[in-house]
Amino acid sequence: MDENFAFLLPVVLSLFGVAFLVVARYGNRAALFWGGGYLCAALGFLAPLLLAVLPVAVVALAADALFVCAFLFYSHALICHFNAPRMFALRGAIAMLGYAGMAVAVLGVDSLRYELFLSDITCGLLLVVAMVAVRLRLRAPVEKALFAAAIFVVLETVVRTLVFFYMAGSAAIDAFVGSSYAYVMQITSTIGALLLALTALASVALRVLDGHRRDAEEDPLTGLLNRRGFEQFIGEGGRSAKNDAAIIVADIDWFKSINDHFGHAAGDEAIREVARLLRAVSWPGLAVARFGGEEFIAYLPNCRLPDAHMLANTVRIALGERDLSGIGIDRPITASFGVAVTAAGDHTIHEAISRADRLLYLAKSSGRNRVVSNAADGGQPAAGPRLFVVRDEMSG
């Protein structure tokens, strides 16, 4: 029974290691280190099989090295997952000093007691360093569950080690295989490994899915939402116009000439600059998207027309005052804006978007570098061509 259980643990660890490596192929770097850690741990538990051909001391040191490597991988996986400070020097020093102590315990004094104590404490410290680095970066419930699993692994390691340290006495290295401690270690390690693996795999998988979602819903140039992401964000607001909302549509003026005169790289920087200004608009629930080319759209829930008009004009003025010489553009760039709000008869927010788009083209045809919106009548369609028009007198 004991032998079957001892064989089962490395099989389980290997399966998790392979699972993490499969997930790593989808672009998650942390999964690569989780996989490496679990495979090293599996090899560490299989090391006693080498006793048939290698001396006990060599097998013990090989197993110790594999477990230290496993926990180095675990700690680095945690740090990568949360993008925390790497602490290479500290973790490397802990690993090297700890392993040097294990070598002395094995080769110098032939003490199983000190070897296991140093091995487990070294592994626990490596995980603790990573936990300290990531402790303030926990957000999602699954991330907190992962942190709790790491706490369990550290506590299990420390408690088991201290109990064995006081009970082991002067046992030699070759007393480990078949000992009660080895059996207890396999049981508790299995529980810890399962908890850590399941929470880590869940957290990594969610990160991968979230990354693919962002790739599908975000504009790669600006980091703003794309058209699909915008539709997803407004959700029910895209199907129902029951709540008041304002729409700002913006388009960079004479953008082709910017590309022609200053190059496409400068044009991309101009697009990013407009994106930064729109993203900086202070309004609860704001969503900003790049709809393609040099056109942008901002959705402001529970916003009246005068407020939306004022915000659009603030962005227009700020853009015109920007010094863009640092990105290779030696003259101001401007943008035109159309602003509309939802009306009582609207069935979807897209009707307000269409009105804002028409007002944008009116701003373009009226000389550019201006904000054009419906009359401030609470969102009701204007009876005639009553418009708010704000323009920059210097650039027409």
Side-chain angles (χ1 to χ4, degrees):
M1 177 67 179
D2 292 358
E3 293 178 355
N4 290 337
F5 187 81
F7 176 74
L8 178 62
L9 179 55
V11 171
V12 172
L13 295 177
S14 298
L15 290 174
F16 276 118
V18 171
F20 277 113
L21 294 181
V22 170
V23 174
R25 296 188 62 185
Y26 292 90
N28 188 283
R29 187 170 175 79
L32 181 65
F33 294 106
W34 283 118
Y38 273 92
L39 291 178
C40 282
L43 292 174
F45 281 107
L46 287 174
L49 296 177
L50 298 175
L51 289 172
V53 294
L54 294 175
V56 173
V58 174
V59 173
L61 288 176
D64 290 336
L66 286 166
F67 285 126
V68 170
C69 287
F71 276 80
L72 273 172
F73 278 128
Y74 295 155
S75 66
H76 199 68
L78 268 178
I79 286 171
C80 282
H81 187 70
F82 292 99
N83 195 27
R86 298 299 191 251
M87 298 186 178
F88 286 121
L90 177 58
R91 291 187 294 124
I94 291 172
M96 288 188 291
L97 290 174
Y99 191 70
M102 296 171 222
V104 172
V106 172
L107 301 175
V109 296
D110 190 23
S111 172
L112 178 63
R113 181 187 193 188
Y114 285 104
E115 182 221 357
L116 293 178
F117 176 81
L118 290 168
S119 176
D120 288 347
I121 293 301
T122 299
C123 292
L125 282 175
L126 289 172
L127 204 53
V128 166
V129 170
M131 291 165 61
V132 171
V134 307
R135 70 191 188 283
L136 300 179
R137 299 169 182 260
L138 310 176
R139 298 292 182 268
V142 69
E143 295 174 349
K144 297 176 182 178
L146 173 59
F147 192 79
I151 292 175
F152 175 85
V153 170
V154 171
L155 291 177
E156 178 271 326
T157 301
V158 171
V159 171
R160 169 172 44 79
T161 301
L162 293 177
V163 170
F164 177 78
F165 185 79
Y166 286 106
M167 294 177 60
S170 58
I173 297 298
D174 58 6
F176 176 74
V177 177
S179 66
S180 298
Y181 177 80
Y183 184 60
V184 171
M185 177 185 179
Q186 290 160 6
I187 295 175
T188 57
S189 297
T190 299
I191 296 172
L194 287 173
L195 287 175
L196 193 62
L198 290 174
T199 52
L201 193 57
S203 189
V204 165
L206 288 175
R207 287 286 181 90
V208 170
L209 292 174
D210 189 56
H212 284 294
R213 181 195 60 78
R214 285 197 305 271
D215 290 343
E217 297 178 1
E218 287 187 5
D219 171 54
L221 179 63
T222 63
L224 299 178
L225 297 172
N226 58 21
R227 187 182 295 267
R228 176 180 176 179
F230 181 79
E231 296 285 353
Q232 185 69 27
F233 182 89
I234 61 175
E236 289 297 325
R239 295 186 292 273
S240 172
K242 294 179 181 178
N243 297 322
D244 292 336
I247 295 295
I248 298 173
V249 178
D251 190 272
I252 300 175
D253 295 329
W254 307 113
F255 185 71
K256 184 178 183 301
S257 69
I258 294 174
N259 280 334
D260 292 343
H261 285 86
F262 305 106
H264 289 278
D268 288 346
E269 288 299 326
I271 289 173
R272 291 192 186 98
E273 190 64 34
V274 176
R276 282 190 285 269
L277 289 172
L278 288 170
R279 189 189 284 115
V281 169
S282 179
W283 193 266
L286 171 74
V288 183
R290 180 186 176 206
F291 262 35
E294 65 274 20
E295 186 175 348
F296 303 84
I297 185 167
Y299 167 77
L300 298 88
N302 302 310
C303 182
R304 300 183 63 188
L305 185 64
D307 294 326
H309 188 101
M310 178 189 67
L311 291 170
N313 197 47
T314 300
V315 173
R316 181 192 67 82
I317 294 171
L319 178 63
E321 294 176 347
R322 275 288 199 270
D323 179 8
L324 303 177
S325 58
I327 61 175
I329 300 177
D330 59 6
R331 59 178 172 82
I333 63 173
T334 63
S336 300
F337 298 79
V339 182
V341 293
T342 54
D346 289 348
H347 296 290
T348 73
I349 193 72
H350 295 287
E351 295 179 49
I353 293 174
S354 296
R355 289 197 295 274
D357 205 46
R358 289 195 296 270
L359 292 168
L360 167 66
Y361 282 100
L362 180 57
K364 291 284 189 181
S365 63
S366 301
R368 293 178 171 77
N369 189 25
R370 61 189 65 208
V371 179
V372 177
S373 62
N374 285 330
D377 55 1
Q380 299 299 322
R386 296 184 296 149
L387 302 169
F388 285 140
V389 179
V390 180
R391 65 187 297 273
D392 186 337
E393 296 296 340
M394 296 185 65
S395 57

